[in-house]
Amino acid sequence: MSLPKLENIIEKLEQGNTLTKICSDKDYPSISVVYRKMREDDIIHKKIMKAREVGTFTILDKIHDE
């Protein structure tokens, strides 16, 4: 997984998109590739998990605003 793709995935996760939805786009790696990279690299794992945490709060903010 290239660094630009990783940064795009992180950005989309922080915006509240799901990893499943992101990885269903043909321009992104499959979810199994992302999970494998997370298992192999602790830094990637931490970045993605932190982005998912931020994304959860983004979703909560959107719900609150509605």
Side-chain angles (χ1 to χ4, degrees):
M1 180 166 37
S2 68
L3 187 57
K5 286 290 185 208
L6 176 60
E7 292 304 318
N8 288 340
I9 290 170
I10 288 169
E11 184 178 317
K12 289 179 177 292
L13 287 169
E14 290 174 341
Q15 293 170 354
N17 293 293
T18 65
L19 191 56
T20 304
K21 182 177 180 178
I22 296 165
C23 292
S24 68
D25 185 323
K26 66 177 180 66
D27 294 329
Y28 288 89
S30 69
I31 197 163
S32 60
V33 169
V34 174
Y35 284 148
R36 181 171 37 86
K37 295 291 185 182
M38 288 173 69
R39 284 192 310 272
E40 294 171 353
D41 188 323
D42 286 340
I43 293 171
I44 291 175
H45 182 267
K46 288 177 185 176
K47 285 182 176 187
I48 289 176
M49 294 308 292
K50 183 64 176 176
R52 290 180 109 176
E53 181 182 341
V54 171
T56 300
F57 284 101
T58 300
I59 292 167
L60 289 173
D61 286 348
K62 288 178 182 178
I63 290 168
H64 182 269
D65 289 345
E66 290 177 6

